[in-house]
Amino acid sequence: MNWLILIVAGLFETGFAFCLGKMKGTAGMEHWLWCAGFLVSLVLSMVLLAKAVHTIPIGTAYPVWTGIGAVGTVVVGILVFKEPATFWRLFFIATLIASVVGLKMAH
């Protein structure tokens, strides 16, 4: 169950990065709404990570959490923010995914 909690925590990390990206170029109420989304996502991500490390070693949980957030943020950047999907970006994201899977399997 704590692995599922850790995955959700990583997705909320992607969520706070997404909100941070949406805050850029906004003003007024829209800016503050994205800021609120950032804060809510940040808090949920941290609370869920703290819950997951009750049974998952921090040396495994933290890299998995950041890996999920990093991969999710790159995917959101490509799909939503129209960032380039170059060969090398995709290659290194694939190696990051392989590393996260390896950490889970080595646990």
Side-chain angles (χ1 to χ4, degrees):
M1 181 63 168
N2 279 333
W3 281 100
L4 181 59
I5 290 171
L6 182 61
I7 290 168
V8 173
L11 294 174
F12 274 112
E13 185 183 6
T14 300
F16 74 69
F18 170 75
C19 291
L20 192 61
K22 293 297 279 185
M23 285 170 57
K24 183 176 143 182
T26 62
M29 182 57 85
E30 183 181 5
H31 176 80
W32 291 111
L33 289 172
W34 285 115
C35 184
F38 168 81
L39 292 172
V40 168
S41 295
L42 179 68
V43 168
L44 288 171
S45 182
M46 295 296 169
V47 167
L48 293 171
L49 175 62
K51 170 74 175 131
V53 299
H54 285 148
T55 59
I56 302 170
I58 191 70
T60 301
Y62 186 78
V64 169
W65 174 75
T66 57
I68 292 167
V71 169
T73 301
V74 170
V75 170
V76 166
I78 291 168
L79 297 177
V80 176
F81 298 114
K82 307 299 182 212
E83 295 175 357
T86 64
F87 169 80
W88 289 112
R89 285 185 89 192
L90 298 176
F91 172 78
F92 286 115
I93 285 300
T95 62
L96 182 57
I97 292 168
S99 297
V100 168
V101 170
L103 279 171
K104 164 65 171 107
M105 292 173 68
H107 171 69

